[in-house]
Amino acid sequence: MKPTTKPWHDTIAAPETRAAALLSEMTLSEKLAQLGSYWPRPEEPEAAGDVAPMESAFDFARRPFADAVTEGLGQLTRVFGTVPLEPAEGMAVLRRMQSEIVAASRFGIPAIAHEECLTGFTAYRASVFPAAIAWGATFDPDAIGRMAAAIGRDMRVVGVHQGLSPLMDVVRDYRWGRVEETIGEDPYLVGTLGAAYVRGLQSSGIIATLKHFAGYPASKAGRNHAPVGIGPREFADVILTPFEIAVREGGAGSVMNSYSDIDGLPAAASPQLLTRVLRDTWGFAGTVVSDYGAVAFLDMMHRVTADRAASGAVALTAGIDVELPETDAYGRLVPMVESGALDEAYVDRAALRVLTQKAALGLLDPGWSPVPAETGDGMGIDLDRPENREIAREIAEKSITVLSNGGILPLGREPRRIAVVGPSAGEPRTFLGCYSFPIHVLARYTADGTGVPVRSLAAALQETFDTSTIIHRPGVPILESDRSGIGAAVAAATEADVAIVTVGDLASLFGRGTSGEGCDAEDLTLPGVQGELVEAILATDTPVVLVVVSGRPYALGAYVDRCAAIVQAFMPGEEGGGAIARVLAGDVNPSGRLPVGIPRTPGGQPGTYLTPPLGRFSDGISNLDPSPLFPFGHGLSYSSFRYAEPRASATRVPTDGAFEVGVTVTNIGDRPGDEVVQLYLTDEVAQVTRPVRALIGYRRVSLEPGESARVTFLVDAERTVFTGVDLQRIVEPGWIVLTLGRSSEDTAHQVRIELTGAVRAVPAPVLVTPARVEYASSPDR
């Protein structure tokens, strides 16, 4: 592009100023083109299945690329994440498409290129990091931020601008297939880790996209795309809170709507949600993009509009700025504007936001290039750098959670015969989430490829222990009801000193796996006949270490008293095999904490730990005990930690005040270890029912043997905020209890605080609880 004196090329001016100048010169069709997108989808592999909901249903609306870009284009959809392309090939395709878009547009405006990036850049040969549910198990925002920055760097270097991550959805039903894509069941954990991801990704120049706004995980019966029946308080205090943290604290640049209809109103058609809450209350200034096909679903699925053009008008008016993955409804809006059925001001509003973002990204600059100049032709570019794998290893190790241990762990290195039994041990893809490239795309082209090196657990154990002592027998498949291998597995276990039994999930899409989008579960029984395998091995009387590699929690109550130890690994990514092996051997001291509870039985469970008193066990009222087998926040270490009595800086605090509460933690074990100090709030009496206990702060702290640290939380009174009787957010006077401990059920260390003064309305409360760590008793600090 030749340098000009056009005001939108002025790199000194503010992005919005440049965008407004450009917008003023554009025709209605050109403005609408900036609100559309194009997906370069090839012919799908035979019987491969869709990668987006009802993807094939939209084929009739597709246009040739040259026709789609005649007036310009807002976004390019998944150039790298649709088919297996070597990085250099993907960059060549992106350069060609961007060149055609610029040449076709009267103003030479490029498109924003977006990709998925939840478990890493969803591209061939790119690193596959642990699934989001594993991030939750780390309780470590710094590590998640570093991971996101690494993902962003790889995306930016090949010419991508926007990433469709992270999910800010809060788990409400463990049967939902997309539990693996969430960070957990607590809004504060989801919000703070999600905000760390946002900051990390955007530090590398990639726009982060919060999804799915909002209500998606609260679907009835845990079914994908099912209606959401939820009260306004739960919606405000649980569902919306993580998004608010990621907007106000993380500075997210984009938001994607949810497919859900909440109490009859689809999120894609809700001005209350997409404009009044998101923008007017929270101050969000970025773009709202539609989930794939969500605008069309207003007439196809929800049936709240009569046709596709009406769907476009409703979505645009509500606040969706860009239609993804391809222009359909928004391409039909010219007649509606010209007839006066749709105010052109809504088109201008959305186009200004899109162009402002393009200006901020440098897409309107003279001399702009589709790929950063320093990237060159992309030959030899490494999207799975050693630095990436080191971060993947760190997060995997920090996420692995020891649930129970009768003393058998760590196994150590002394010679012993080990039977490695179960379907997860030999299948490295069990470590990968459904939005990783090997599962999401590559699986449609090859049955067993991963694109990057991923060691199986069996291989990792053979490397960690003496190979002559390891016998591997899969026993059963992950999903199919094939019992023919159980006998061989039992024989191997019978001859062994210890049996490592590995069970769990294999992710896929829309029912093709046991976890992932559209892979919802009827109950929380282990998939297939894996439970029968566990029972058969337990019957041998060989000590069993049960290792669950999964994307959701499964009911383990039938096995817990008979296993020597149970370990939970939530889809730990490309370095997961080695991480699990090192935890079992004792090379790594486990420090993962549960981001979701582990149920005792397959049914009769509550939504999550975040429940009011009536959600707890009520002896004499109901015969069902919903108590989890292992609670939110639980996890064991090979070290022991002692908590001193907590202390608060005050016992009476005004409702507009703040106070500190802290506890000293000492490592009384014989090895270094990490402890996760968790701060929970109980509101003793409130005008509406409150959760019995809710996480409001946490801090991971590393301690040498004998070392102590004082962990102090700064608690603003606004951290007690909730939605009251009149649906206003309030801080209410009264007694609160703060619990500092190792899980949501560890109540040994508490302080009581009285909040004094008047009820306060707080529309934009303090959202986070800072913590500081002061070390003592260590010569090394």
Side-chain angles (χ1 to χ4, degrees), residues 79-116:
V79 172
F80 291 87
T82 299
V83 297
L85 296 173
E86 295 288 349
E89 294 177 306
M91 290 163 57
V93 173
L94 184 62
R95 282 192 175 101
R96 175 183 59 78
M97 297 185 76
Q98 290 281 35
S99 296
E100 292 184 36
I101 292 166
V102 168
S105 165
R106 185 163 63 99
F107 299 98
I109 309 168
I112 290 174
H114 77 254
E115 297 286 349
E116 298 285 358

Side-chain angles (χ1 to χ4, degrees), residues 447-681:
D448 54 7
T450 55
V452 292
V454 185
R455 280 185 304 170
S456 70
L457 177 56
L461 288 168
Q462 287 170 343
E463 292 177 15
T464 302
F465 297 95
D466 183 347
T467 56
S468 64
T469 67
I470 300 289
I471 302 173
H472 174 221
R473 298 289 184 269
V476 298
I478 289 176
L479 186 57
E480 294 80 10
S481 298
D482 180 356
R483 300 170 175 84
S484 60
I486 291 180
V490 167
T494 301
E495 297 298 319
D497 298 313
V498 61
I500 299 174
V501 181
T502 66
V503 295
D505 284 320
L506 179 60
S508 190
L509 294 164
F510 308 117
R512 302 194 294 271
T514 64
S515 176
E517 184 174 2
C519 296
D520 309 315
E522 291 184 0
D523 60 31
L524 299 174
T525 305
L526 289 170
V529 292
Q530 294 182 70
E532 295 181 28
L533 174 66
V534 176
E535 290 287 358
I537 304 303
L538 286 170
T540 66
D541 291 330
T542 299
V544 168
V545 176
L546 182 64
V547 178
V548 184
V549 183
S550 65
R552 68 163 62 83
Y554 285 104
L556 304 179
Y559 320 122
V560 63
D561 293 333
R562 294 177 289 157
C563 290
I566 301 179
V567 177
Q568 174 70 56
F570 288 112
M571 292 184 172
E574 65 184 16
E575 290 288 327
I580 296 171
R582 286 188 291 274
V583 167
L584 294 178
D587 299 345
V588 169
N589 194 351
S591 60
R593 300 293 183 265
L594 286 176
V596 288
I598 302 293
R600 184 176 298 276
T601 59
Q605 302 297 323
T608 66
Y609 95 100
L610 207 63
T611 182
L614 292 186
R616 296 281 180 129
F617 179 54
S618 302
D619 190 18
I621 297 176
S622 172
N623 62 308
L624 296 180
D625 182 357
S627 302
L629 179 64
F630 299 107
F632 174 86
H634 170 77
L636 302 181
S637 171
Y638 299 152
S639 298
S640 298
F641 299 92
R642 182 180 64 226
Y643 282 61
E645 283 302 308
R647 296 184 181 275
S649 61
T651 58
R652 300 183 79 247
V653 179
T655 55
D656 61 353
F659 60 95
E660 291 186 344
V661 60
V663 67
T664 298
V665 182
T666 303
N667 182 350
I668 59 174
D670 59 2
R671 63 170 67 201
D674 283 11
E675 175 68 328
V676 178
V677 180
Q678 301 164 44
L679 177 65
Y680 292 89
L681 168 73

Side-chain angles (χ1 to χ4, degrees), residues 47-205:
D50 293 344
V51 297
M54 299 176 60
E55 177 186 327
S56 56
F58 298 98
D59 287 345
F60 74 91
R62 303 194 73 202
R63 293 182 293 165
F65 180 61
D67 295 342
V69 301
T70 55
E71 303 283 358
L73 187 69
Q75 294 220 2
L76 273 171
T77 296
R78 297 175 68 176
V79 172
F80 291 87
T82 299
V83 297
L85 296 173
E86 295 288 349
E89 294 177 306
M91 290 163 57
V93 173
L94 184 62
R95 282 192 175 101
R96 175 183 59 78
M97 297 185 76
Q98 290 281 35
S99 296
E100 292 184 36
I101 292 166
V102 168
S105 165
R106 185 163 63 99
F107 299 98
I109 309 168
I112 290 174
H114 77 254
E115 297 286 349
E116 298 285 358
C117 59
L118 187 64
T119 65
F121 179 19
T122 306
Y124 191 49
R125 309 286 192 199
S127 299
V128 182
F129 294 91
I133 193 68
W135 312 350
T138 71
F139 278 70
D140 191 340
D142 291 341
I144 303 311
R146 284 186 279 108
M147 176 195 71
I151 294 170
R153 179 264 179 200
D154 290 338
M155 297 172 76
R156 194 71 190 93
V157 78
V158 299
V160 176
H161 309 104
Q162 182 166 352
L164 303 187
S165 294
L167 268 72
M168 306 306 295
D169 297 322
V170 179
V171 175
R172 304 305 287 157
D173 190 322
Y174 302 144
R175 297 172 297 175
W176 190 47
R178 304 190 79 166
V179 167
E180 62 162 79
E181 297 178 59
T182 75
I183 300 170
E185 67 181 52
D186 181 87
Y188 187 70
L189 182 67
V190 174
T192 49
L193 290 179
Y197 181 100
V198 168
R199 288 190 292 267
L201 194 72
Q202 295 189 164
S203 73
S204 294

Side-chain angles (χ1 to χ4, degrees), residues 12 32 188 258 322 330 347 479 524 535 554 662 715 729 781:
I12 304 300
L32 282 168
Y188 187 70
S258 164
V322 180
Y330 283 10
V347 177
L479 186 57
L524 299 174
E535 290 287 358
Y554 285 104
V715 183
R729 298 165 96 179
R781 296 189 187 275

